[in-house]
PDB file of all heavy atoms in Angstrom:
ATOM      1  N   GLU A 203     -24.962   1.644 -53.521  1.00  0.00           N
ATOM      2  CA  GLU A 203     -24.455   0.293 -53.310  1.00  0.00           C
ATOM      3  C   GLU A 203     -23.171   0.341 -52.480  1.00  0.00           C
ATOM      4  O   GLU A 203     -22.448   1.331 -52.510  1.00  0.00           O
ATOM      5  CB  GLU A 203     -24.151  -0.376 -54.652  1.00  0.00           C
ATOM      6  CG  GLU A 203     -25.377  -0.576 -55.526  1.00  0.00           C
ATOM      7  CD  GLU A 203     -26.235  -1.730 -55.049  1.00  0.00           C
ATOM      8  OE1 GLU A 203     -25.674  -2.710 -54.512  1.00  0.00           O
ATOM      9  OE2 GLU A 203     -27.476  -1.660 -55.183  1.00  0.00           O
ATOM     10  N   SER A 204     -22.890  -0.760 -51.758  1.00  0.00           N
ATOM     11  CA  SER A 204     -21.697  -0.830 -50.921  1.00  0.00           C
ATOM     12  C   SER A 204     -20.871  -2.054 -51.252  1.00  0.00           C
ATOM     13  O   SER A 204     -21.389  -3.033 -51.769  1.00  0.00           O
ATOM     14  CB  SER A 204     -22.090  -0.935 -49.451  1.00  0.00           C
ATOM     15  OG  SER A 204     -22.912   0.121 -49.091  1.00  0.00           O
ATOM     16  N   LYS A 206     -17.286  -4.351 -49.529  1.00  0.00           N
ATOM     17  CA  LYS A 206     -16.371  -4.483 -48.399  1.00  0.00           C
ATOM     18  C   LYS A 206     -14.954  -4.167 -48.846  1.00  0.00           C
ATOM     19  O   LYS A 206     -14.603  -4.352 -50.006  1.00  0.00           O
ATOM     20  CB  LYS A 206     -16.416  -5.921 -47.854  1.00  0.00           C
ATOM     21  CG  LYS A 206     -17.672  -6.241 -47.093  1.00  0.00           C
ATOM     22  CD  LYS A 206     -17.595  -7.636 -46.492  1.00  0.00           C
ATOM     23  CE  LYS A 206     -17.022  -7.626 -45.109  1.00  0.00           C
ATOM     24  NZ  LYS A 206     -17.824  -6.869 -44.164  1.00  0.00           N
ATOM     25  N   THR A 209     -12.575  -5.949 -51.766  1.00  0.00           N
ATOM     26  CA  THR A 209     -13.359  -6.564 -52.844  1.00  0.00           C
ATOM     27  C   THR A 209     -12.707  -6.280 -54.202  1.00  0.00           C
ATOM     28  O   THR A 209     -12.223  -5.172 -54.427  1.00  0.00           O
ATOM     29  CB  THR A 209     -14.783  -5.968 -52.853  1.00  0.00           C
ATOM     30  OG1 THR A 209     -15.378  -6.194 -51.592  1.00  0.00           O
ATOM     31  CG2 THR A 209     -15.644  -6.576 -53.934  1.00  0.00           C
ATOM     32  N   SER A 210     -12.687  -7.285 -55.068  1.00  0.00           N
ATOM     33  CA  SER A 210     -12.202  -7.051 -56.429  1.00  0.00           C
ATOM     34  C   SER A 210     -13.286  -7.314 -57.461  1.00  0.00           C
ATOM     35  O   SER A 210     -13.156  -6.951 -58.616  1.00  0.00           O
ATOM     36  CB  SER A 210     -11.008  -7.952 -56.733  1.00  0.00           C
ATOM     37  OG  SER A 210      -9.901  -7.560 -55.979  1.00  0.00           O
ATOM     38  N   ASP A 211     -14.339  -8.012 -57.068  1.00  0.00           N
ATOM     39  CA  ASP A 211     -15.413  -8.343 -57.989  1.00  0.00           C
ATOM     40  C   ASP A 211     -16.607  -7.453 -57.670  1.00  0.00           C
ATOM     41  O   ASP A 211     -17.297  -7.655 -56.675  1.00  0.00           O
ATOM     42  CB  ASP A 211     -15.777  -9.828 -57.820  1.00  0.00           C
ATOM     43  CG  ASP A 211     -16.830 -10.268 -58.818  1.00  0.00           C
ATOM     44  OD1 ASP A 211     -17.468  -9.397 -59.431  1.00  0.00           O
ATOM     45  OD2 ASP A 211     -17.019 -11.487 -58.977  1.00  0.00           O
ATOM     46  N   ASN A 213     -19.092  -6.889 -59.887  1.00  0.00           N
ATOM     47  CA  ASN A 213     -20.112  -7.119 -60.914  1.00  0.00           C
ATOM     48  C   ASN A 213     -21.530  -7.065 -60.369  1.00  0.00           C
ATOM     49  O   ASN A 213     -22.429  -6.537 -61.020  1.00  0.00           O
ATOM     50  CB  ASN A 213     -19.865  -8.476 -61.590  1.00  0.00           C
ATOM     51  CG  ASN A 213     -18.797  -8.358 -62.650  1.00  0.00           C
ATOM     52  OD1 ASN A 213     -18.868  -7.472 -63.491  1.00  0.00           O
ATOM     53  ND2 ASN A 213     -17.796  -9.216 -62.608  1.00  0.00           N
ATOM     54  N   THR A 214     -21.744  -7.626 -59.166  1.00  0.00           N
ATOM     55  CA  THR A 214     -23.092  -7.620 -58.587  1.00  0.00           C
ATOM     56  C   THR A 214     -23.594  -6.193 -58.415  1.00  0.00           C
ATOM     57  O   THR A 214     -24.712  -5.858 -58.808  1.00  0.00           O
ATOM     58  CB  THR A 214     -23.039  -8.328 -57.218  1.00  0.00           C
ATOM     59  OG1 THR A 214     -22.484  -9.622 -57.420  1.00  0.00           O
ATOM     60  CG2 THR A 214     -24.410  -8.466 -56.619  1.00  0.00           C
ATOM     61  N   GLN A 215     -22.736  -5.335 -57.841  1.00  0.00           N
ATOM     62  CA  GLN A 215     -23.128  -3.952 -57.596  1.00  0.00           C
ATOM     63  C   GLN A 215     -23.362  -3.212 -58.919  1.00  0.00           C
ATOM     64  O   GLN A 215     -24.305  -2.430 -59.039  1.00  0.00           O
ATOM     65  CB  GLN A 215     -22.039  -3.221 -56.800  1.00  0.00           C
ATOM     66  CG  GLN A 215     -21.922  -3.672 -55.353  1.00  0.00           C
ATOM     67  CD  GLN A 215     -20.986  -4.844 -55.153  1.00  0.00           C
ATOM     68  OE1 GLN A 215     -20.714  -5.612 -56.072  1.00  0.00           O
ATOM     69  NE2 GLN A 215     -20.488  -5.008 -53.940  1.00  0.00           N
ATOM     70  N   THR A 217     -24.328  -4.457 -61.775  1.00  0.00           N
ATOM     71  CA  THR A 217     -25.610  -4.873 -62.344  1.00  0.00           C
ATOM     72  C   THR A 217     -26.764  -4.117 -61.688  1.00  0.00           C
ATOM     73  O   THR A 217     -27.671  -3.631 -62.371  1.00  0.00           O
ATOM     74  CB  THR A 217     -25.808  -6.387 -62.132  1.00  0.00           C
ATOM     75  OG1 THR A 217     -24.739  -7.075 -62.763  1.00  0.00           O
ATOM     76  CG2 THR A 217     -27.123  -6.859 -62.724  1.00  0.00           C
ATOM     77  N   ASN A 218     -26.719  -4.005 -60.368  1.00  0.00           N
ATOM     78  CA  ASN A 218     -27.774  -3.280 -59.653  1.00  0.00           C
ATOM     79  C   ASN A 218     -27.838  -1.822 -60.085  1.00  0.00           C
ATOM     80  O   ASN A 218     -28.908  -1.255 -60.257  1.00  0.00           O
ATOM     81  CB  ASN A 218     -27.531  -3.340 -58.140  1.00  0.00           C
ATOM     82  CG  ASN A 218     -27.714  -4.737 -57.580  1.00  0.00           C
ATOM     83  OD1 ASN A 218     -28.248  -5.600 -58.268  1.00  0.00           O
ATOM     84  ND2 ASN A 218     -27.285  -4.952 -56.359  1.00  0.00           N
ATOM     85  N   ALA A 221     -29.220  -1.354 -63.692  1.00  0.00           N
ATOM     86  CA  ALA A 221     -30.673  -1.541 -63.785  1.00  0.00           C
ATOM     87  C   ALA A 221     -31.430  -0.251 -63.506  1.00  0.00           C
ATOM     88  O   ALA A 221     -32.559  -0.082 -63.950  1.00  0.00           O
ATOM     89  CB  ALA A 221     -31.111  -2.626 -62.807  1.00  0.00           C
ATOM     90  N   ASN A 234      -7.118   2.540 -56.754  1.00  0.00           N
ATOM     91  CA  ASN A 234      -7.114   1.106 -57.068  1.00  0.00           C
ATOM     92  C   ASN A 234      -8.512   0.575 -57.312  1.00  0.00           C
ATOM     93  O   ASN A 234      -8.758  -0.150 -58.271  1.00  0.00           O
ATOM     94  CB  ASN A 234      -6.505   0.330 -55.893  1.00  0.00           C
ATOM     95  CG  ASN A 234      -5.036   0.108 -56.076  1.00  0.00           C
ATOM     96  OD1 ASN A 234      -4.628  -0.360 -57.131  1.00  0.00           O
ATOM     97  ND2 ASN A 234      -4.255   0.443 -55.071  1.00  0.00           N
ATOM     98  N   ASP A 235      -9.431   0.931 -56.412  1.00  0.00           N
ATOM     99  CA  ASP A 235     -10.810   0.490 -56.556  1.00  0.00           C
ATOM    100  C   ASP A 235     -11.451   1.131 -57.781  1.00  0.00           C
ATOM    101  O   ASP A 235     -12.148   0.462 -58.542  1.00  0.00           O
ATOM    102  CB  ASP A 235     -11.626   0.862 -55.304  1.00  0.00           C
ATOM    103  CG  ASP A 235     -11.273  -0.019 -54.116  1.00  0.00           C
ATOM    104  OD1 ASP A 235     -10.542  -1.007 -54.311  1.00  0.00           O
ATOM    105  OD2 ASP A 235     -11.727   0.288 -52.992  1.00  0.00           O
ATOM    106  N   LEU A 238     -10.653  -0.681 -61.033  1.00  0.00           N
ATOM    107  CA  LEU A 238     -11.333  -1.971 -61.208  1.00  0.00           C
ATOM    108  C   LEU A 238     -12.823  -1.783 -61.473  1.00  0.00           C
ATOM    109  O   LEU A 238     -13.400  -2.441 -62.351  1.00  0.00           O
ATOM    110  CB  LEU A 238     -11.165  -2.831 -59.948  1.00  0.00           C
ATOM    111  CG  LEU A 238      -9.818  -3.487 -59.718  1.00  0.00           C
ATOM    112  CD1 LEU A 238      -9.855  -4.322 -58.454  1.00  0.00           C
ATOM    113  CD2 LEU A 238      -9.430  -4.367 -60.887  1.00  0.00           C
ATOM    114  N   GLN A 241     -13.561  -0.712 -65.063  1.00  0.00           N
ATOM    115  CA  GLN A 241     -13.475  -1.791 -66.052  1.00  0.00           C
ATOM    116  C   GLN A 241     -14.712  -2.674 -66.020  1.00  0.00           C
ATOM    117  O   GLN A 241     -15.214  -3.114 -67.045  1.00  0.00           O
ATOM    118  CB  GLN A 241     -12.241  -2.643 -65.781  1.00  0.00           C
ATOM    119  CG  GLN A 241     -10.954  -1.922 -66.121  1.00  0.00           C
ATOM    120  CD  GLN A 241      -9.745  -2.701 -65.674  1.00  0.00           C
ATOM    121  OE1 GLN A 241      -9.467  -3.777 -66.166  1.00  0.00           O
ATOM    122  NE2 GLN A 241      -9.034  -2.173 -64.716  1.00  0.00           N
ATOM    123  N   GLN A 242     -15.205  -2.955 -64.814  1.00  0.00           N
ATOM    124  CA  GLN A 242     -16.359  -3.840 -64.725  1.00  0.00           C
ATOM    125  C   GLN A 242     -17.651  -3.142 -65.175  1.00  0.00           C
ATOM    126  O   GLN A 242     -18.537  -3.774 -65.743  1.00  0.00           O
ATOM    127  CB  GLN A 242     -16.452  -4.415 -63.306  1.00  0.00           C
ATOM    128  CG  GLN A 242     -15.272  -5.370 -63.078  1.00  0.00           C
ATOM    129  CD  GLN A 242     -15.111  -5.857 -61.649  1.00  0.00           C
ATOM    130  OE1 GLN A 242     -16.071  -5.941 -60.905  1.00  0.00           O
ATOM    131  NE2 GLN A 242     -13.891  -6.176 -61.274  1.00  0.00           N
ATOM    132  N   ALA A 245     -17.480  -3.360 -68.964  1.00  0.00           N
ATOM    133  CA  ALA A 245     -17.709  -4.722 -69.455  1.00  0.00           C
ATOM    134  C   ALA A 245     -19.194  -5.072 -69.446  1.00  0.00           C
ATOM    135  O   ALA A 245     -19.662  -5.848 -70.267  1.00  0.00           O
ATOM    136  CB  ALA A 245     -16.921  -5.722 -68.617  1.00  0.00           C
ATOM    137  N   ASN A 266      -3.815   1.462 -64.571  1.00  0.00           N
ATOM    138  CA  ASN A 266      -4.577   0.390 -63.945  1.00  0.00           C
ATOM    139  C   ASN A 266      -5.977   0.247 -64.539  1.00  0.00           C
ATOM    140  O   ASN A 266      -6.523  -0.846 -64.594  1.00  0.00           O
ATOM    141  CB  ASN A 266      -4.706   0.614 -62.426  1.00  0.00           C
ATOM    142  CG  ASN A 266      -3.426   0.286 -61.688  1.00  0.00           C
ATOM    143  OD1 ASN A 266      -2.391   0.052 -62.310  1.00  0.00           O
ATOM    144  ND2 ASN A 266      -3.480   0.270 -60.380  1.00  0.00           N
ATOM    145  N   LYS A 268      -6.803   0.730 -67.568  1.00  0.00           N
ATOM    146  CA  LYS A 268      -6.686   0.214 -68.935  1.00  0.00           C
ATOM    147  C   LYS A 268      -7.724   0.847 -69.877  1.00  0.00           C
ATOM    148  O   LYS A 268      -8.423   0.157 -70.605  1.00  0.00           O
ATOM    149  CB  LYS A 268      -6.812  -1.308 -68.929  1.00  0.00           C
ATOM    150  CG  LYS A 268      -5.782  -1.965 -68.005  1.00  0.00           C
ATOM    151  CD  LYS A 268      -5.847  -3.475 -68.035  1.00  0.00           C
ATOM    152  CE  LYS A 268      -5.150  -4.128 -66.864  1.00  0.00           C
ATOM    153  NZ  LYS A 268      -3.723  -3.937 -66.749  1.00  0.00           N
TER     154      LYS A 268
ATOM    155  N   ARG B  13     -32.214  -8.536 -65.141  1.00  0.00           N
ATOM    156  CA  ARG B  13     -31.305  -8.229 -64.047  1.00  0.00           C
ATOM    157  C   ARG B  13     -30.896  -9.503 -63.312  1.00  0.00           C
ATOM    158  O   ARG B  13     -29.726  -9.691 -62.984  1.00  0.00           O
ATOM    159  CB  ARG B  13     -32.031  -7.263 -63.106  1.00  0.00           C
ATOM    160  CG  ARG B  13     -31.105  -6.495 -62.247  1.00  0.00           C
ATOM    161  CD  ARG B  13     -31.898  -5.468 -61.490  1.00  0.00           C
ATOM    162  NE  ARG B  13     -31.331  -5.343 -60.158  1.00  0.00           N
ATOM    163  CZ  ARG B  13     -31.937  -4.748 -59.156  1.00  0.00           C
ATOM    164  NH1 ARG B  13     -33.150  -4.259 -59.312  1.00  0.00           N
ATOM    165  NH2 ARG B  13     -31.349  -4.655 -57.999  1.00  0.00           N
ATOM    166  N   GLN B  16     -28.508 -11.435 -65.429  1.00  0.00           N
ATOM    167  CA  GLN B  16     -27.171 -10.851 -65.367  1.00  0.00           C
ATOM    168  C   GLN B  16     -26.485 -11.235 -64.045  1.00  0.00           C
ATOM    169  O   GLN B  16     -25.307 -11.608 -64.027  1.00  0.00           O
ATOM    170  CB  GLN B  16     -27.276  -9.314 -65.469  1.00  0.00           C
ATOM    171  CG  GLN B  16     -25.964  -8.575 -65.289  1.00  0.00           C
ATOM    172  CD  GLN B  16     -25.095  -8.590 -66.533  1.00  0.00           C
ATOM    173  OE1 GLN B  16     -25.539  -8.211 -67.610  1.00  0.00           O
ATOM    174  NE2 GLN B  16     -23.861  -9.054 -66.406  1.00  0.00           N
ATOM    175  N   GLN B  17     -27.227 -11.194 -62.949  1.00  0.00           N
ATOM    176  CA  GLN B  17     -26.645 -11.582 -61.661  1.00  0.00           C
ATOM    177  C   GLN B  17     -26.248 -13.051 -61.677  1.00  0.00           C
ATOM    178  O   GLN B  17     -25.251 -13.447 -61.081  1.00  0.00           O
ATOM    179  CB  GLN B  17     -27.624 -11.329 -60.510  1.00  0.00           C
ATOM    180  CG  GLN B  17     -27.893  -9.857 -60.202  1.00  0.00           C
ATOM    181  CD  GLN B  17     -26.666  -9.110 -59.706  1.00  0.00           C
ATOM    182  OE1 GLN B  17     -25.538  -9.560 -59.858  1.00  0.00           O
ATOM    183  NE2 GLN B  17     -26.878  -7.927 -59.144  1.00  0.00           N
ATOM    184  N   ASN B  20     -22.999 -13.254 -63.438  1.00  0.00           N
ATOM    185  CA  ASN B  20     -21.951 -12.787 -62.529  1.00  0.00           C
ATOM    186  C   ASN B  20     -21.595 -13.887 -61.533  1.00  0.00           C
ATOM    187  O   ASN B  20     -20.430 -14.121 -61.230  1.00  0.00           O
ATOM    188  CB  ASN B  20     -22.422 -11.570 -61.715  1.00  0.00           C
ATOM    189  CG  ASN B  20     -22.746 -10.361 -62.571  1.00  0.00           C
ATOM    190  OD1 ASN B  20     -22.320 -10.285 -63.718  1.00  0.00           O
ATOM    191  ND2 ASN B  20     -23.504  -9.433 -62.022  1.00  0.00           N
ATOM    192  N   LYS B  24     -18.032 -15.925 -60.856  1.00  0.00           N
ATOM    193  CA  LYS B  24     -17.450 -15.897 -59.515  1.00  0.00           C
ATOM    194  C   LYS B  24     -17.291 -17.330 -58.993  1.00  0.00           C
ATOM    195  O   LYS B  24     -16.249 -17.717 -58.478  1.00  0.00           O
ATOM    196  CB  LYS B  24     -18.423 -15.123 -58.618  1.00  0.00           C
ATOM    197  CG  LYS B  24     -17.842 -14.500 -57.375  1.00  0.00           C
ATOM    198  CD  LYS B  24     -18.965 -14.047 -56.445  1.00  0.00           C
ATOM    199  CE  LYS B  24     -19.600 -12.731 -56.810  1.00  0.00           C
ATOM    200  NZ  LYS B  24     -19.236 -11.662 -55.889  1.00  0.00           N
ATOM    201  N   GLU B  72       2.482  -1.054 -67.740  1.00  0.00           N
ATOM    202  CA  GLU B  72       1.878  -0.692 -69.015  1.00  0.00           C
ATOM    203  C   GLU B  72       1.927   0.807 -69.239  1.00  0.00           C
ATOM    204  O   GLU B  72       1.947   1.584 -68.301  1.00  0.00           O
ATOM    205  CB  GLU B  72       0.418  -1.151 -69.020  1.00  0.00           C
ATOM    206  CG  GLU B  72       0.312  -2.646 -69.077  1.00  0.00           C
ATOM    207  CD  GLU B  72      -1.100  -3.106 -68.855  1.00  0.00           C
ATOM    208  OE1 GLU B  72      -1.724  -2.666 -67.909  1.00  0.00           O
ATOM    209  OE2 GLU B  72      -1.555  -3.905 -69.664  1.00  0.00           O
ATOM    210  N   PRO B 141      -0.637  -2.912 -53.984  1.00  0.00           N
ATOM    211  CA  PRO B 141      -1.282  -3.697 -55.039  1.00  0.00           C
ATOM    212  C   PRO B 141      -0.588  -3.511 -56.389  1.00  0.00           C
ATOM    213  O   PRO B 141      -0.103  -2.435 -56.714  1.00  0.00           O
ATOM    214  CB  PRO B 141      -2.695  -3.115 -55.096  1.00  0.00           C
ATOM    215  CG  PRO B 141      -2.879  -2.371 -53.835  1.00  0.00           C
ATOM    216  CD  PRO B 141      -1.542  -1.933 -53.382  1.00  0.00           C
ATOM    217  N   SER B 143      -0.904  -4.053 -60.641  1.00  0.00           N
ATOM    218  CA  SER B 143      -1.840  -4.264 -61.732  1.00  0.00           C
ATOM    219  C   SER B 143      -1.421  -5.515 -62.494  1.00  0.00           C
ATOM    220  O   SER B 143      -0.362  -6.080 -62.227  1.00  0.00           O
ATOM    221  CB  SER B 143      -1.848  -3.046 -62.640  1.00  0.00           C
ATOM    222  OG  SER B 143      -2.880  -3.162 -63.580  1.00  0.00           O
ATOM    223  N   PHE B 144      -2.221  -5.968 -63.429  1.00  0.00           N
ATOM    224  CA  PHE B 144      -1.932  -7.223 -64.123  1.00  0.00           C
ATOM    225  C   PHE B 144      -1.810  -6.965 -65.621  1.00  0.00           C
ATOM    226  O   PHE B 144      -2.499  -6.104 -66.151  1.00  0.00           O
ATOM    227  CB  PHE B 144      -3.064  -8.219 -63.841  1.00  0.00           C
ATOM    228  CG  PHE B 144      -2.714  -9.640 -64.137  1.00  0.00           C
ATOM    229  CD1 PHE B 144      -1.810 -10.319 -63.332  1.00  0.00           C
ATOM    230  CD2 PHE B 144      -3.273 -10.304 -65.219  1.00  0.00           C
ATOM    231  CE1 PHE B 144      -1.472 -11.632 -63.600  1.00  0.00           C
ATOM    232  CE2 PHE B 144      -2.941 -11.619 -65.493  1.00  0.00           C
ATOM    233  CZ  PHE B 144      -2.041 -12.282 -64.675  1.00  0.00           C
ATOM    234  N   GLN B 150     -10.033  -6.580 -72.370  1.00  0.00           N
ATOM    235  CA  GLN B 150     -11.283  -6.848 -71.678  1.00  0.00           C
ATOM    236  C   GLN B 150     -12.393  -6.143 -72.434  1.00  0.00           C
ATOM    237  O   GLN B 150     -12.465  -4.921 -72.457  1.00  0.00           O
ATOM    238  CB  GLN B 150     -11.197  -6.358 -70.241  1.00  0.00           C
ATOM    239  CG  GLN B 150     -12.164  -7.106 -69.353  1.00  0.00           C
ATOM    240  CD  GLN B 150     -12.022  -6.695 -67.905  1.00  0.00           C
ATOM    241  OE1 GLN B 150     -11.718  -5.558 -67.613  1.00  0.00           O
ATOM    242  NE2 GLN B 150     -12.262  -7.613 -66.999  1.00  0.00           N
ATOM    243  N   SER B 152     -16.678  -6.078 -73.690  1.00  0.00           N
ATOM    244  CA  SER B 152     -18.032  -6.458 -73.322  1.00  0.00           C
ATOM    245  C   SER B 152     -18.599  -7.383 -74.397  1.00  0.00           C
ATOM    246  O   SER B 152     -18.499  -7.096 -75.583  1.00  0.00           O
ATOM    247  CB  SER B 152     -18.853  -5.183 -73.207  1.00  0.00           C
ATOM    248  OG  SER B 152     -20.140  -5.479 -72.818  1.00  0.00           O
ATOM    249  N   ALA B 161     -18.044  -9.557 -69.401  1.00  0.00           N
ATOM    250  CA  ALA B 161     -16.695  -9.348 -69.906  1.00  0.00           C
ATOM    251  C   ALA B 161     -16.225 -10.640 -70.580  1.00  0.00           C
ATOM    252  O   ALA B 161     -16.559 -11.743 -70.113  1.00  0.00           O
ATOM    253  CB  ALA B 161     -15.778  -8.979 -68.763  1.00  0.00           C
ATOM    254  N   GLN B 234      -9.920  -9.307 -62.881  1.00  0.00           N
ATOM    255  CA  GLN B 234      -9.887  -8.241 -61.871  1.00  0.00           C
ATOM    256  C   GLN B 234      -8.437  -7.924 -61.548  1.00  0.00           C
ATOM    257  O   GLN B 234      -7.875  -8.425 -60.590  1.00  0.00           O
ATOM    258  CB  GLN B 234     -10.613  -8.704 -60.605  1.00  0.00           C
ATOM    259  CG  GLN B 234     -12.081  -8.999 -60.849  1.00  0.00           C
ATOM    260  CD  GLN B 234     -12.615 -10.074 -59.944  1.00  0.00           C
ATOM    261  OE1 GLN B 234     -12.079 -10.327 -58.889  1.00  0.00           O
ATOM    262  NE2 GLN B 234     -13.687 -10.724 -60.363  1.00  0.00           N
ATOM    263  N   PRO B 235      -7.787  -7.121 -62.399  1.00  0.00           N
ATOM    264  CA  PRO B 235      -6.333  -6.971 -62.337  1.00  0.00           C
ATOM    265  C   PRO B 235      -5.830  -6.212 -61.111  1.00  0.00           C
ATOM    266  O   PRO B 235      -5.418  -5.063 -61.203  1.00  0.00           O
ATOM    267  CB  PRO B 235      -5.998  -6.223 -63.618  1.00  0.00           C
ATOM    268  CG  PRO B 235      -7.241  -5.510 -63.971  1.00  0.00           C
ATOM    269  CD  PRO B 235      -8.384  -6.308 -63.447  1.00  0.00           C
ATOM    270  N   ARG B 236      -5.861  -6.833 -59.957  1.00  0.00           N
ATOM    271  CA  ARG B 236      -5.240  -6.249 -58.770  1.00  0.00           C
ATOM    272  C   ARG B 236      -4.643  -7.376 -57.941  1.00  0.00           C
ATOM    273  O   ARG B 236      -5.359  -8.216 -57.409  1.00  0.00           O
ATOM    274  CB  ARG B 236      -6.261  -5.482 -57.945  1.00  0.00           C
ATOM    275  CG  ARG B 236      -5.695  -5.105 -56.569  1.00  0.00           C
ATOM    276  CD  ARG B 236      -6.490  -4.062 -55.853  1.00  0.00           C
ATOM    277  NE  ARG B 236      -7.849  -4.468 -55.583  1.00  0.00           N
ATOM    278  CZ  ARG B 236      -8.764  -3.647 -55.068  1.00  0.00           C
ATOM    279  NH1 ARG B 236      -8.461  -2.408 -54.809  1.00  0.00           N
ATOM    280  NH2 ARG B 236      -9.969  -4.072 -54.832  1.00  0.00           N
ATOM    281  N   SER B 276     -24.347 -13.613 -55.574  1.00  0.00           N
ATOM    282  CA  SER B 276     -24.790 -12.590 -56.519  1.00  0.00           C
ATOM    283  C   SER B 276     -26.279 -12.317 -56.360  1.00  0.00           C
ATOM    284  O   SER B 276     -26.718 -11.177 -56.466  1.00  0.00           O
ATOM    285  CB  SER B 276     -24.521 -13.036 -57.952  1.00  0.00           C
ATOM    286  OG  SER B 276     -23.162 -12.928 -58.211  1.00  0.00           O
ATOM    287  N   GLY B 279     -26.771 -10.326 -53.423  1.00  0.00           N
ATOM    288  CA  GLY B 279     -26.265  -9.001 -53.750  1.00  0.00           C
ATOM    289  C   GLY B 279     -27.261  -8.192 -54.565  1.00  0.00           C
ATOM    290  O   GLY B 279     -27.321  -6.969 -54.455  1.00  0.00           O
ATOM    291  N   ALA B 280     -28.080  -8.863 -55.387  1.00  0.00           N
ATOM    292  CA  ALA B 280     -29.091  -8.152 -56.172  1.00  0.00           C
ATOM    293  C   ALA B 280     -30.081  -7.479 -55.250  1.00  0.00           C
ATOM    294  O   ALA B 280     -30.653  -6.450 -55.563  1.00  0.00           O
ATOM    295  CB  ALA B 280     -29.817  -9.133 -57.088  1.00  0.00           C
ATOM    296  N   THR B 283     -26.232  -5.567 -51.251  1.00  0.00           N
ATOM    297  CA  THR B 283     -24.821  -5.926 -51.400  1.00  0.00           C
ATOM    298  C   THR B 283     -24.080  -5.982 -50.068  1.00  0.00           C
ATOM    299  O   THR B 283     -23.038  -6.595 -49.967  1.00  0.00           O
ATOM    300  CB  THR B 283     -24.088  -4.947 -52.328  1.00  0.00           C
ATOM    301  OG1 THR B 283     -24.585  -3.639 -52.089  1.00  0.00           O
ATOM    302  CG2 THR B 283     -24.302  -5.317 -53.762  1.00  0.00           C
ATOM    303  N   THR B 284     -24.619  -5.341 -49.043  1.00  0.00           N
ATOM    304  CA  THR B 284     -23.930  -5.327 -47.753  1.00  0.00           C
ATOM    305  C   THR B 284     -23.830  -6.745 -47.172  1.00  0.00           C
ATOM    306  O   THR B 284     -22.876  -7.091 -46.497  1.00  0.00           O
ATOM    307  CB  THR B 284     -24.664  -4.408 -46.767  1.00  0.00           C
ATOM    308  OG1 THR B 284     -24.951  -3.193 -47.433  1.00  0.00           O
ATOM    309  CG2 THR B 284     -23.835  -4.131 -45.539  1.00  0.00           C
ATOM    310  N   ASP B 287     -21.448 -11.042 -48.657  1.00  0.00           N
ATOM    311  CA  ASP B 287     -20.352 -11.874 -48.175  1.00  0.00           C
ATOM    312  C   ASP B 287     -20.770 -12.745 -47.002  1.00  0.00           C
ATOM    313  O   ASP B 287     -20.293 -13.865 -46.841  1.00  0.00           O
ATOM    314  CB  ASP B 287     -19.168 -10.998 -47.755  1.00  0.00           C
ATOM    315  CG  ASP B 287     -18.243 -10.725 -48.917  1.00  0.00           C
ATOM    316  OD1 ASP B 287     -18.397 -11.428 -49.946  1.00  0.00           O
ATOM    317  OD2 ASP B 287     -17.388  -9.848 -48.811  1.00  0.00           O
TER     318      ASP B 287
END
Side-chain angles (χ1 to χ4, degrees):
Chain A
E203 296 284 327
S204 304
K206 287 185 91 62
T209 302
S210 291
D211 184 345
N213 279 310
T214 305
Q215 289 88 337
T217 301
N218 292 347
N234 267 310
D235 287 351
L238 285 182
Q241 289 172 66
Q242 292 171 28
N266 284 9
K268 304 183 197 296
Chain B
R13 201 173 143 195
Q16 175 79 54
Q17 291 296 17
N20 297 342
K24 203 193 280 252
E72 290 171 311
S143 188
F144 197 71
Q150 204 176 33
S152 182
Q234 298 150 23
R236 169 165 61 186
S276 285
T283 38
T284 313
D287 272 346

